[in-house]
Amino acid sequence: MSQGRESNGFAGHPRGLATLFLTEMWERFTFYGMRSLLVLFMTAAVIDGGLGLDDKAATSIYGLYIGCVYLFSWPGGWIADRLLGAQRAVIAGALLMAAGNFMLALQSVTFFYLGLIVIVLGVGLLKPNVSVMVGQLYSGQSSARRDAGFLLFYIGINLGAVLAPLVIGTIGEKLSWRAGFAVAGLCMLGGLLQFVAQRRHLPPALPTATTPAERRRGLQILFGAGAALTALIALMFAGIIPAAPVTLARYTGLAMVLMAAGFFGYVFLFGRLSGDEAKRVAVILILFCSVAIFILGYELAGSTFNLFARDYTDRSFLGSWFADGEHPASWYQALGPFYIVVFAPLFGAMWVRLARRNLEPSLPAKFGIGLIQVGLGFVVMAWASWLVVQGGAGTRVAPTWLLLTYMLHTFGELCVSPIGLSAITALSPKRYTGQMMGTWFAGVALGNLLSGIVAGYFGEDTLATAPTRFLMICAMDVVAGCVLLLLARSITRMIGDAR
């Protein structure tokens, strides 16, 4: 068998899956650890070691950061495709992620923002290329088998995400914000060492720019883009370009939409696609829009839900363990990934069994079901926020509201995220695999950015309108899900026999 595809791994899956499983587990531990602290740190008072920002500014910065993390997966895929290869891109990304977290741990506002930028670049290099290598392990195998492999991979992602808020969140909230960021950086270095030691089990994934001229053109593009980005950052830090978080988030969102339109337009017009390839790229465009809508609601977990846990949720459970009598608000960030670890194997087995009976829902049907599930979660949040409004100042509700919301959102994610990752690897023209995986993360980026903007309207001063706003998000997700269900057959015909 070819390198990286030995079938002596877990449950008959390729041995390389374990390597990528552990790499992504530690990457997500690092990412979700600092993510669980980010909004809480930015809104904490300066005297308590935070930045002292208001909710709207903090959530806009959060949305910008998370959005750019996924947006930079797009050029990260291109860099791997053209210049570095997937394995070298993962190594470079891990080093940048570790360095960025160490910068957050420094007592400097400037280094805090620079650290966020460095982490953005690191995740952009690492995340899409790990996913691409998972897909390459299953080349020539059935879609059900590949979906099962991606679900196992997804468990690795969420094991890291479960542990991170419990460990890093506790250190950050109860000991020191800076110590939490530093621990996240150290864990990323551990994940990198594991990847380097086990990379022999992976496909080579060499870059496509093999001639000196191709490499030279690629490097020119890379250095030109890097110089432009550096100049833009320098102008913002110098105050020459206004950098108000809310305004910057809105313009960045517009730029993301224009970039996506430009990329898809270029591929359709000049990508020399066959008829079948054009239909499948059109499906990828539909997935791009669908995942953006899904993530807009789903990623309120790290901002609005995190603040709701801090300000309006009874956290007395295990409170005797802590001096202030409350467990950390960041612990609730572990709920979503915990549910995924519990339910992902059940969903994977369900898809395989349904496929054997020719009853498995189609790709667009799964997306539609996922959007409806996340919409139902906002009905729960609307009810919980209504109870807070009716109770008046100081009212706190039981944790069960967040427990149920995260469960519904998790069921939605299990119908969208791992299925979408698997679908992109199957639908992409081979010469655009890394870049098409980048478009998936660009859709996630747009959803995250919009989520951060929307989260700014759920601050303490607008609590009275929170139930209505939650129901508006519910309506958007449910309508989008129903549209996908209605168009499922047409979209499935566009997919054809892609596996």
Side-chain angles (χ1 to χ4, degrees):
M1 292 188 180
S2 61
Q3 185 183 24
R5 297 180 187 168
E6 306 95 329
S7 295
N8 58 350
F10 176 73
H13 287 275
R15 174 63 182 83
L17 182 63
T19 303
L20 299 174
F21 176 103
L22 291 171
T23 302
E24 188 69 348
M25 184 188 77
W26 286 112
E27 185 270 339
R28 291 292 89 181
F29 185 94
T30 300
F31 178 79
Y32 278 93
M34 70 84 62
R35 171 185 177 273
S36 69
L37 296 177
L38 193 55
V39 169
L40 299 177
F41 167 69
M42 288 190 289
T43 56
V46 174
I47 195 172
D48 295 325
L51 295 185
L53 301 178
D54 61 60
D55 288 357
K56 184 168 286 190
T59 56
S60 292
I61 292 170
Y62 172 85
L64 270 169
Y65 162 69
I66 300 292
C68 287
V69 159
Y70 289 98
L71 179 65
F72 272 78
S73 295
W74 209 346
W78 179 86
I79 291 169
D81 280 351
R82 300 290 296 172
L83 299 173
L84 294 180
Q87 291 190 26
R88 290 176 181 172
V90 167
I91 292 171
L95 288 171
L96 287 171
M97 284 188 67
N101 275 278
F102 292 140
M103 293 170 74
L104 299 186
L106 299 175
Q107 296 288 338
S108 167
V109 174
T110 299
F111 272 105
F112 172 79
Y113 290 114
L114 287 175
L116 293 181
I117 293 169
V118 171
I119 294 172
V120 163
L121 298 175
V123 178
L125 280 171
L126 190 153
K127 189 165 181 58
N129 295 300
V130 172
S131 299
V132 165
M133 284 189 283
V134 174
Q136 290 170 340
L137 292 173
Y138 294 89
S139 177
Q141 299 190 35
S142 70
S143 61
R145 190 65 174 166
R146 186 176 59 249
D147 286 354
F150 267 100
L151 276 168
L152 285 172
F153 174 68
Y154 217 61
I155 292 172
I157 292 175
N158 288 282
L159 276 175
V162 168
L163 296 173
L166 302 178
V167 177
I168 295 176
T170 302
I171 292 172
E173 287 193 66
K174 301 302 182 180
L175 180 60
S176 161
W177 303 110
R178 311 289 179 175
F181 295 135
V183 170
L186 289 171
C187 291
M188 188 67 260
L189 289 180
L192 173 60
L193 291 174
Q194 180 276 146
F195 177 82
V196 171
Q198 300 294 322
R199 61 190 294 199
R200 66 185 181 277
H201 298 293
L202 302 174
L206 298 174
T208 57
T210 55
T211 69
E214 289 176 331
R215 286 195 294 271
R216 187 163 54 251
R217 282 196 300 270
L219 288 171
Q220 288 170 350
I221 293 171
L222 180 60
F223 284 122
L229 178 62
T230 302
L232 178 63
I233 293 169
L235 290 172
M236 286 193 294
F237 271 97
I240 298 173
I241 294 179
V246 177
T247 302
L248 187 59
R250 290 172 179 168
Y251 280 114
T252 303
L254 177 61
M256 287 182 181
V257 172
L258 293 176
M259 287 172 62
F263 175 78
F264 280 107
Y266 171 83
V267 172
F268 280 121
L269 294 174
F270 306 109
R272 300 190 303 276
L273 302 177
S274 67
D276 287 340
E277 286 178 333
K279 291 177 183 178
R280 291 166 189 165
V281 172
V283 174
I284 292 175
L285 176 58
I286 293 171
L287 299 185
F288 169 89
C289 297
S290 300
V291 77
I293 295 171
F294 176 84
I295 292 296
L296 186 157
Y298 183 82
E299 275 300 327
L300 286 174
S303 51
T304 298
F305 293 179
N306 212 5
L307 295 174
F308 190 90
R310 184 191 67 184
D311 298 332
Y312 305 117
T313 300
D314 180 0
R315 293 184 283 119
S316 60
F317 177 67
L318 299 181
S320 60
W321 292 10
F322 304 100
D324 59 2
E326 294 184 316
H327 61 255
S330 56
W331 279 13
Y332 292 93
Q333 297 297 295
L335 285 173
F338 171 75
Y339 287 141
I340 288 175
V341 172
V342 172
F343 291 108
L346 301 179
F347 271 71
M350 178 179 67
W351 299 140
V352 171
R353 288 185 179 181
L354 289 174
R356 289 172 181 168
R357 300 177 183 179
N358 293 320
L359 296 174
E360 183 183 13
S362 63
L363 169 66
K366 289 177 181 177
F367 266 65
I369 293 168
L371 281 163
I372 292 171
Q373 291 271 39
V374 81
L376 293 176
F378 283 103
V379 175
V380 178
M381 287 305 299
W383 196 344
S385 58
W386 180 82
L387 290 175
V388 173
V389 172
Q390 294 301 305
T395 299
R396 295 199 172 201
V397 297
T400 47
W401 298 100
L402 284 173
L403 292 173
L404 181 56
T405 297
Y406 278 113
M407 180 176 288
L408 288 168
H409 282 196
T410 298
F411 290 165
E413 184 181 10
L414 288 170
C415 293
V416 172
S417 293
I419 307 302
L421 285 170
S422 178
I424 296 296
T425 63
L427 294 170
S428 300
K430 289 186 178 179
R431 58 192 178 280
Y432 292 113
T433 300
Q435 293 166 72
M436 286 298 170
M437 184 61 73
T439 65
W440 168 264
F441 290 116
V444 175
L446 180 60
N448 273 287
L449 180 64
L450 295 175
S451 180
I453 295 172
V454 168
Y457 295 96
F458 286 92
E460 185 175 355
D461 56 338
T462 58
L463 178 63
T465 63
T468 301
R469 295 182 189 277
F470 281 132
L471 290 176
M472 290 172 63
I473 298 174
C474 166
M476 177 190 65
D477 286 320
V478 170
V479 169
C482 290
V483 169
L484 282 174
L485 289 175
L486 290 172
L487 298 177
R489 289 188 178 180
S490 298
I491 296 171
T492 301
R493 284 196 294 268
M494 295 168 66
I495 294 172
D497 60 354
R499 293 291 184 270

